[in-house]
């Protein structure tokens, strides 16, 4: 959990066995190692200002996060069940 809350250089080194480098090459390397990257496609990520959803990064401290793509179906299913019972 420390990596998610505070990715300090020591924690990154312990988990990924790398030293933090402040450059794009290091960021791309870490993106490839990210164990959670497969979940990105599970969310509705708002488009960036230029309309690109693939390059968007969603950062909002007062939010529940991006809408899970399956949420609408789950809510619809619950409403149908509520209506029937």
């Amino acid at each position: 959990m420390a990596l998610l809350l505070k990715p300090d250089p020591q924690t990154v080194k312990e988990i990924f066995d790398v030293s933090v480098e402040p450059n794009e090459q290091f960021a791309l390397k870490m993106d490839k190692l990210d164990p959670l990257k497969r979940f990105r496609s599970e969310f509705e990520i708002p488009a960036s200002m230029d309309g690109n959803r693939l390059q968007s990064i969603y950062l909002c401290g007062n939010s529940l996060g991006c809408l899970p793509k399956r949420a609408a179906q789950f809510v619809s299913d619950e409403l149908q069940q509520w209506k029937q019972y």
Side-chain angles (χ1 to χ4, degrees), residues 7-45:
D8 62 278
Q10 184 58 37
T11 302
V12 173
K13 181 156 183 56
E14 289 173 12
I15 293 174
F16 294 104
D17 195 29
V18 296
S19 296
V20 175
E21 301 169 27
N23 58 49
E24 183 178 5
Q25 183 179 9
F26 176 74
L28 293 172
K29 177 182 177 180
M30 293 306 294
D31 282 349
K32 287 181 182 178
L33 295 174
D34 184 358
L36 301 176
K37 69 181 173 186
R38 69 181 191 269
F39 294 108
R40 182 179 174 89
S41 63
E42 299 282 326
F43 296 89
E44 298 289 352
I45 299 173

Side-chain angles (χ1 to χ4, degrees), residues 13-84:
K13 181 156 183 56
E14 289 173 12
I15 293 174
F16 294 104
D17 195 29
V18 296
S19 296
V20 175
E21 301 169 27
N23 58 49
E24 183 178 5
Q25 183 179 9
F26 176 74
L28 293 172
K29 177 182 177 180
M30 293 306 294
D31 282 349
K32 287 181 182 178
L33 295 174
D34 184 358
L36 301 176
K37 69 181 173 186
R38 69 181 191 269
F39 294 108
R40 182 179 174 89
S41 63
E42 299 282 326
F43 296 89
E44 298 289 352
I45 299 173
S48 63
M49 293 179 75
D50 64 1
N52 186 340
R53 289 185 190 280
L54 295 177
Q55 298 297 322
S56 284
I57 298 173
Y58 185 80
L59 301 173
C60 182
N62 299 319
S63 172
L64 293 174
C66 294
L67 177 70
K69 290 182 178 178
R70 294 183 275 172
Q73 187 60 53
F74 289 144
V75 170
S76 178
D77 292 347
E78 285 299 317
L79 291 174
Q80 289 301 317
Q81 288 178 17
W82 183 19
K83 183 172 32 174
Q84 293 173 3

